[in-house]
């Protein structure tokens, strides 16, 4: 439960631009190009905002003692250790 609270804090503290592209790409499943069109920015801006948002999430993962994931360095395991 504490991990979900930390995750929610990190996600809600993201700057609006990073939060928008993260939600559209991860939760809504839009491609980078579709996100770029939706928020009216170049695709490179979408990529950089996603990179910054993922970096913040990885910092949370590191601070919680989780090991980085070899298969996808930008992926965060949200299942926690109690599954």
């Amino acid at each position: 439960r504490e991990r979900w609270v930390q995750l929610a804090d990190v996600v809600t503290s993201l700057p609006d631009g990073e939060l928008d592209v993260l939600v559209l790409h991860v939760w809504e499943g839009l491609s980078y190009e579709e996100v770029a069109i939706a928020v009216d920015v170049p695709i490179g801006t979408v990529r950089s905002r996603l990179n910054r948002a993922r970096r913040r999430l990885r910092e949370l993962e590191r601070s919680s003692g989780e090991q980085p994931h070899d298969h996808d360095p930008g992926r965060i395991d949200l299942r926690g250790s109690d599954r």
Side-chain angles (χ1 to χ4, degrees), residues 54-65:
R54 286 175 174 148
R55 185 173 355 117
R56 293 175 204 269
L57 292 171
R58 281 192 302 269
E59 289 169 5
L60 169 65
E61 185 175 46
R62 279 191 215 106
S63 72
S64 71

Side-chain angles (χ1 to χ4, degrees), residues 66-82:
E66 295 285 329
Q67 294 298 315
H69 301 285
D70 293 334
H71 63 282
D72 183 350
R75 184 169 301 241
I76 304 298
D77 182 5
L78 300 178
R79 294 173 297 190
S81 59
D82 58 349

